[in-house]
């Protein structure tokens, strides 16, 4: 009989991991602190829509769920920027036919739990919060909703219990454990653009909408029923900040000043603003992810801010690569867990850096003419030399090449494009005899 494996945290990465392990014949116990999401509603105001891209789809394909998830997803082919006067500019994400997918966090979690529940060797436990872990004897203490506690033991225990992981908290007590938790000076507030009277979309359904305002921004992702999940990202303190939006009049004036074209589409704006919580944005890094027979996975190991749309995709890729490493090295769990963290830590750190960089891009740069010109040159290079040049965004969102590679390649791309612009070579992009030596000198 194969080992018993406990997973603490039944969110996206935990439930996907349970399915992958069940398929291999392990006995899996999955413990989730919340109630069964299949029987109730998701937490209000904290469900930033997810952008499912190639890495996440690749992982879902391993368990046969990708097609079912994509059936309910909405393709987003590019960004649509709204300026303060209501004018819009479009920027494609990649080549024709390349897009990311807007998916519901709760809807996806439900599909994963439903599939996990189909396996006889998976047991699901809800309303069970991890409050302690013993890293020496492979056990953890959990608390029921009524306050009673119980202990679990397993051959392997995975902590997939989110950014504020109880399993990681115990690992932080280890000698020389490296840990950093960095908060942005920005919070987020979830709002909504409603469907039209016929259940249709009031703005372009196949785009990620951005209202960039320099020091703050709002984004909107489409939902199947015709609505958009909007998220305002705003500083906690300062002239334009959550600290100065305390009354209905202040909120109305702020939105009518900076997001006037969206206000008419958001009849519940004021109620949503005060009803929904203000979420925080944190980047969490740690090393190691493994101690004895405990291992961290997903946000418990590497929470990132949501500005590259890769938090879920990165977590799913953790599971996929772990699954493949088990295939290579089972039953040597020491080798499996060591190879897993070697493969993933460098890439988790890379996507964290990329997410921070993209926050500045989305908030400050996307509406600027010089940035739009830069992206136009980047797009044309990709069109004319697809085998030699791939944008950093394409490497991250439309490939499974390591995030660390995409990070490094992005710096080379920037140098190449800036050289082309500085030397006014845009008109020669379609001339291989001119461009190929230049591309080779920067990317070769």
């Amino acid at each position: 009989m194969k080992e018993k494996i406990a997973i603490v945290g039944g969110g996206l990465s935990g439930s996907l991991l349970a399915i992958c392990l069940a398929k291999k014949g392990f006995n899996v116990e999955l413990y989730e602190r919340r109630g069964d999401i299949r029987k109730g509603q998701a937490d209000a105001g904290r469900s930033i829509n997810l952008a499912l891209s190639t890495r996440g789809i690749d992982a879902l394909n391993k368990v046969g769920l990708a097609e079912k998830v994509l059936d309910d997803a909405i393709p987003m082919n590019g960004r649509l920027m709204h300026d303060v006067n209501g004018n819009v500019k479009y920027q494609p994400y990649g080549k024709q036919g390349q897009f990311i997918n807007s998916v519901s966090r709760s809807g996806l979690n439900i599909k994963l739990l439903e599939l996990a529940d189909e396996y006889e060797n998976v047991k699901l436990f809800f309303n069970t919060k991890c409050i302690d872990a013993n890293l020496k004897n492979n056990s953890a203490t959990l608390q029921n909703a009524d306050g009673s506690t119980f202990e679990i033991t397993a051959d392997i225990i995975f902590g997939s219990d989110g950014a504020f992981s109880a399993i990681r908290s115990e690992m932080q007590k280890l000698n020389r454990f490296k840990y950093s938790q960095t908060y942005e000076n920005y919070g987020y507030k979830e709002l909504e653009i409603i469907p039209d009277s016929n259940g249709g979309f009031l703005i372009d359904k196949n785009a990620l909408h951005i209202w960039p305002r320099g020091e703050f921004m709002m984004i909107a992702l489409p939902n199947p029923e015709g609505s958009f999940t909007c998220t305002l990202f705003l500083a906690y303190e300062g002239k334009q900040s959550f600290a100065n939006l305390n009354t209905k009049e202040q909120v109305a004036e702020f939105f009518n000043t900076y997001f006037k074209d969206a206000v008419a589409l958001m009849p519940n704006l004021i109620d949503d603003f005060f009803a929904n919580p203000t979420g925080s944005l944190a980047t969490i890094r740690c090393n190691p992810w493994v101690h004895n027979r405990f291992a961290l996975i997903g946000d418990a190991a590497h929470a990132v801010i949501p500005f590259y749309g890769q938090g879920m995709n990165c977590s799913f890729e953790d599971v996929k690569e772990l699954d493949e490493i088990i295939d290579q090295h089972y039953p040597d769990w020491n080798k499996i867990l060591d190879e897993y963290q070697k493969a993933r830590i460098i890439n988790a750190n890379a996507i964290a850096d990329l997410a921070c960089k993209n926050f500045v891009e989305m908030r400050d740069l996307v509406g600027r003419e010089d940035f739009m010109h830069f992206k136009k040159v980047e797009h044309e290079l990709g069109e004319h030399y697809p085998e030699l040049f791939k944008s950093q965004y394409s490497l991250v969102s439309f490939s499974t090449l390591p995030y660390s590679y995409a990070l490094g390649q992005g710096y080379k791309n920037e140098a190449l494009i800036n050289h082309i612009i500085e030397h006014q070579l845009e008109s020669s992009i379609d001339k291989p005899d001119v461009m190929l030596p230049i591309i080779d000198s920067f990317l070769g």
Side-chain angles (χ1 to χ4, degrees):
M1 182 179 293
K2 285 192 172 181
E3 292 91 340
K4 172 184 170 183
I5 299 180
I7 302 171
V8 177
L12 297 176
S13 58
S15 50
L16 177 62
L17 178 59
I19 298 165
C20 288
L21 294 172
K23 286 172 66 67
K24 295 183 183 302
F26 294 105
N27 294 298
V28 181
E29 294 181 354
L30 181 68
Y31 297 90
E32 167 55 40
R33 66 176 177 81
R34 299 169 300 175
D36 190 341
I37 195 172
R38 297 170 296 175
K39 300 177 181 178
Q41 298 297 313
D43 292 343
R46 293 193 183 276
S47 59
I48 293 178
N49 273 39
L50 302 168
L52 178 65
S53 55
T54 298
R55 297 169 198 271
I57 294 168
D58 202 33
L60 290 172
N61 268 323
K62 290 190 76 70
V63 298
L65 260 186
E67 186 175 343
K68 186 175 181 181
V69 171
L70 290 172
D71 282 345
D72 294 331
I74 298 178
M76 297 183 292
N77 300 299
R79 299 166 169 169
L80 199 62
M81 280 75 71
H82 300 246
D83 72 16
V84 73
N85 297 314
N87 302 310
V88 296
K89 293 180 181 177
Y90 179 73
Q91 183 187 110
Y93 279 132
K95 301 176 188 176
Q96 187 72 25
Q98 287 185 324
F99 51 84
I100 58 177
N101 300 275
S102 177
V103 298
S104 160
R105 176 188 295 273
S106 58
L108 177 53
N109 206 164
I110 287 169
K111 287 181 175 69
L112 288 163
L113 288 171
E114 287 174 343
L115 181 55
D117 211 8
E118 292 179 11
Y119 287 87
E120 292 184 358
N121 52 331
V122 174
K123 295 180 180 178
L124 304 178
F125 301 87
F126 298 96
N127 295 304
T128 54
K129 178 183 178 182
C130 181
I131 58 174
D132 197 10
N134 188 318
L135 303 180
K136 293 181 179 179
N137 69 0
N138 286 21
S139 68
T141 302
L142 289 98
Q143 184 179 63
N144 293 311
D146 62 6
S148 62
T149 62
F150 63 99
E151 186 175 271
I152 62 168
T153 59
D155 297 293
I156 308 291
I157 298 179
F158 285 99
S160 61
D161 47 339
F164 304 104
S165 165
I167 300 296
R168 192 192 62 239
S169 292
E170 288 305 307
M171 293 177 69
Q172 285 173 231
K173 299 173 185 177
L174 296 169
N175 185 37
R176 300 177 67 196
F177 186 90
K178 297 179 181 178
Y179 172 76
S180 69
Q181 175 177 295
T182 306
Y183 280 97
E184 300 293 326
N185 184 37
Y186 287 78
Y188 68 87
K189 180 82 71 172
E190 188 175 294
L191 306 164
E192 182 185 33
I193 289 176
I194 65 166
D196 67 21
S197 57
N198 298 314
F201 293 87
L202 289 170
I203 52 178
D204 188 342
K205 66 177 281 191
N206 295 120
L208 187 152
H209 294 260
I210 307 178
W211 289 259
R213 298 296 181 261
E215 293 298 316
F216 54 95
M217 70 173 180
M218 185 170 72
I219 67 172
L221 280 76
N223 297 308
E225 74 278 7
S227 68
F228 284 79
T229 299
C230 300
T231 311
L232 171 68
F233 297 96
L234 183 65
Y236 284 108
E237 298 176 347
K239 183 177 180 181
Q240 304 300 341
S241 67
F242 283 115
N244 289 325
L245 297 180
N246 299 306
T247 67
K248 293 181 179 181
E249 291 75 19
Q250 288 173 328
V251 172
E253 181 182 2
F254 175 77
F255 276 85
N256 279 310
T257 299
Y258 295 105
F259 308 110
K260 189 173 183 179
D261 64 327
V263 170
L265 315 176
M266 307 168 74
N268 303 316
L269 167 63
I270 302 298
D271 290 340
D272 287 345
F273 188 91
F274 289 103
N276 291 339
T278 302
S280 60
L281 299 168
T283 299
I284 291 175
R285 307 173 196 245
C286 66
N287 190 350
W289 293 2
V290 171
H291 183 75
N292 293 337
R293 294 303 177 91
F294 279 81
L296 303 174
I297 199 162
D299 281 358
H302 54 72
V304 299
I305 56 179
F307 300 110
Y308 223 116
Q310 288 295 307
M312 169 193 62
N313 293 289
C314 182
S315 295
F316 280 0
E317 194 172 59
D318 289 347
V319 177
K320 171 183 163 285
E321 292 202 18
L322 173 62
D323 183 77
E324 292 170 354
I325 292 168
I326 293 172
D327 286 341
Q328 295 166 14
H329 300 296
Y330 183 78
D332 187 347
W333 277 101
N334 290 331
K335 181 73 170 176
I336 289 166
L337 297 179
D338 185 55
E339 290 295 315
Y340 157 68
Q341 68 175 349
K342 283 180 181 176
R344 296 307 298 162
I345 290 178
I346 185 175
N347 288 303
N349 288 335
I351 193 57
D353 291 340
L354 285 163
C356 291
K357 181 174 180 285
N358 214 42
F359 182 27
V360 177
E361 179 176 307
M362 293 174 70
R363 187 190 69 206
D364 299 355
L365 303 180
V366 293
R368 287 172 31 177
E369 290 298 328
D370 58 342
F371 181 79
M372 294 295 289
H373 181 58
F374 181 98
K375 299 304 285 186
K376 180 176 182 291
V377 173
E378 179 183 70
H379 183 74
E380 289 180 358
L381 283 169
E383 288 293 311
H384 287 288
Y385 309 98
E387 299 303 316
L388 297 177
F389 181 90
K390 290 180 172 58
S391 71
Q392 186 176 74
Y393 190 90
S394 294
L395 289 170
V396 169
S397 298
F398 305 128
S399 86
T400 56
L401 290 167
Y403 288 125
S404 55
Y405 173 78
L407 178 62
Q409 198 67 16
Y411 293 121
K412 294 180 181 180
N413 288 355
E414 286 180 17
L416 168 62
I417 296 167
N418 286 332
H419 176 86
I420 291 171
I421 294 172
E422 181 181 344
H423 292 85
Q424 299 181 349
L425 297 171
E426 293 94 319
S427 61
S428 298
I429 287 178
D430 62 347
K431 298 181 175 65
D433 58 323
V434 176
M435 276 297 119
L436 288 177
I438 298 172
I439 292 172
D440 184 63
S441 68
F442 282 90
L443 306 184

